Amino acid sequence: GVWCFSVANVGWMQKKAAAALFATPPESSYEEAESFFLKAEQGTYKFVENRIMLGDAYAAMRRPADARAWYRKAAELPSESK
């Protein structure tokens, strides 16, 4: 999910530079990143980083209510520090 998010977050100028270096620059979307983050949520362990990235993906897709919901879920996870 993080790779997809990072690729989707690349700006126009960086995409043009990548096109000059690679035959076909990598492509992805926030929606693809979302699918991987949601799949990770189905696992046994829940990670704050995954939930924050889901919030970031929804924010990038201009879905603020979904972004807030995932940021809240991240904040609700129990702390691992002692």
Side-chain angles (χ1 to χ4, degrees):
V2 173
W3 184 88
C4 294
F5 183 89
S6 298
V7 170
N9 209 32
V10 170
W12 179 85
M13 189 69 115
Q14 291 170 314
K15 286 180 184 177
K16 290 298 178 186
L21 297 173
F22 303 105
T24 305
E27 291 184 17
S28 194
S29 66
Y30 296 118
E31 291 79 10
E32 187 175 12
E34 171 198 22
S35 71
F36 286 112
F37 294 136
L38 288 173
K39 191 175 287 189
E41 276 297 307
Q42 294 173 0
T44 304
Y45 301 103
K46 307 301 180 205
F47 297 97
V48 68
E49 295 87 356
N50 188 67
R51 291 179 174 194
I52 290 171
M53 289 304 298
L54 261 165
D56 291 347
Y58 286 126
M61 290 189 285
R62 293 188 166 98
R63 293 171 53 183
D66 291 325
R68 277 191 300 276
W70 281 101
Y71 292 141
R72 281 191 191 110
K73 287 181 182 187
E76 291 168 358
L77 282 176
S79 174
E80 295 274 332
S81 62
K82 295 180 181 187

